[in-house]
Amino acid sequence: MDSVFSQLSVMGSSLVLIFGLILLWRRGVTAYISAFTWQSAVLSGVTAIVAYFGHDHELYWVAVALFLLKVVVIPRLLRRMERRFAAERELAPYVNTATSLVISGLLVLFGYAITRPLVALSQLPTRAGMPLAMGLVLVSLFVIISRKKALTQVIGFLMLENGLALLAVLGTYGIPLIVELGVFLDVLMGFLVMQIFIYQIHETFESIDVEQLNRLRH
């Protein structure tokens, strides 16, 4: 039974990481939103799997809340922003696609290196997926600092939060439901604040390119 549990958690973690990598080689906002939506759906599934094999019924509610927030609500808000900024594509990021993919591969390897002591100590069947979750956290940070469009950076932030959530689920079988609900509320509020910020950038500079903020120095 533990073998099946381990394989499912690794498979789910791998899919979550792959959807995170899509931000590095696709340029359209539609692809980014779809990647985030599918990534969140898989994360919700992994949470439900951990709930089933870990016999933790609270995690089922976490999986449902995660699905409603990150597969239904936030993607709907992102698509509304996509319609508003349809012409804003990530055509010239700070780091080109080929270099980004190489750096991401190195970051995933680094994720394996820094979680190695934790994996060695853990006895959980989900421990093999933890390096992949850490890899997603590092790749998402790289997306945030290497992309110019504010909307891409927001999706990178949301994927970073997905990586942390996956790490918590795999490493601790989740945290108490009330804490998870507080985290989800923080994510939603943070997203709404960033949404307002993007609209203000666009109204001021007629673009959501964060390089335009350099004008504020002059």
Side-chain angles (χ1 to χ4, degrees):
M1 185 67 77
D2 279 356
S3 174
V4 175
F5 186 16
S6 177
Q7 291 177 14
L8 288 175
S9 63
V10 171
M11 185 185 303
S13 302
S14 301
L15 287 174
V16 170
L17 176 60
I18 289 171
F19 283 122
L21 294 174
I22 287 178
L23 264 66
L24 298 173
W25 61 276
R26 297 294 298 272
R27 300 294 175 86
V29 176
T30 303
Y32 298 161
I33 297 173
S34 296
F36 170 71
T37 304
W38 280 106
Q39 183 188 64
S40 301
V42 174
L43 176 59
S44 179
V46 171
T47 305
I49 289 171
V50 173
Y52 176 77
F53 286 97
H55 307 291
D56 187 341
H57 299 294
E58 276 196 351
L59 273 182
Y60 285 118
W61 292 107
V62 173
V64 171
L66 196 156
F67 187 89
L68 290 176
L69 177 64
K70 295 186 176 179
V71 181
V72 178
V73 177
I74 290 181
R76 184 170 297 180
L77 294 172
L78 286 171
R79 289 192 182 92
R80 190 171 67 181
M81 295 173 72
E82 178 197 8
R83 288 193 292 273
R84 175 75 179 272
F85 311 122
E88 299 282 354
R89 292 167 58 87
E90 193 71 57
L91 296 177
Y94 291 117
V95 183
N96 64 42
T97 300
T99 306
S100 294
L101 291 174
V102 172
I103 293 174
S104 296
L106 295 174
L107 289 173
V108 173
L109 292 176
F110 184 58
Y112 268 91
I114 61 178
T115 55
R116 188 175 179 182
L118 185 62
V119 173
L121 290 174
S122 176
Q123 298 297 320
L124 295 174
T126 53
R127 61 185 181 280
M130 292 165 62
L132 297 168
M134 180 57 73
L136 175 62
V137 170
L138 297 174
V139 169
S140 299
L141 281 172
F142 176 67
V143 168
I144 293 172
I145 64 174
S146 66
R147 267 44 192 171
K148 292 181 180 178
K149 302 299 181 184
L151 187 52
T152 311
Q153 294 180 347
V154 168
I155 296 175
F157 167 78
L158 292 170
M159 288 193 170
L160 168 65
E161 204 281 328
N162 274 353
L164 293 173
L166 179 62
L167 194 59
V169 168
L170 297 176
T172 66
Y173 283 10
I175 52 181
L177 178 61
I178 188 66
V179 179
E180 289 280 8
L181 292 177
V183 172
F184 289 151
L185 183 60
D186 285 346
V187 171
L188 180 60
M189 293 304 295
F191 173 76
L192 293 176
V193 169
M194 286 186 283
Q195 186 182 30
I196 294 171
F197 184 62
I198 290 175
Y199 279 116
Q200 288 297 323
I201 292 176
H202 190 265
E203 285 186 8
T204 304
F205 301 107
E206 297 182 349
S207 170
I208 58 172
D209 191 328
V210 294
E211 276 201 332
Q212 301 293 330
L213 295 178
N214 291 331
R215 294 181 185 178
L216 297 177
R217 296 178 180 175
H218 305 293

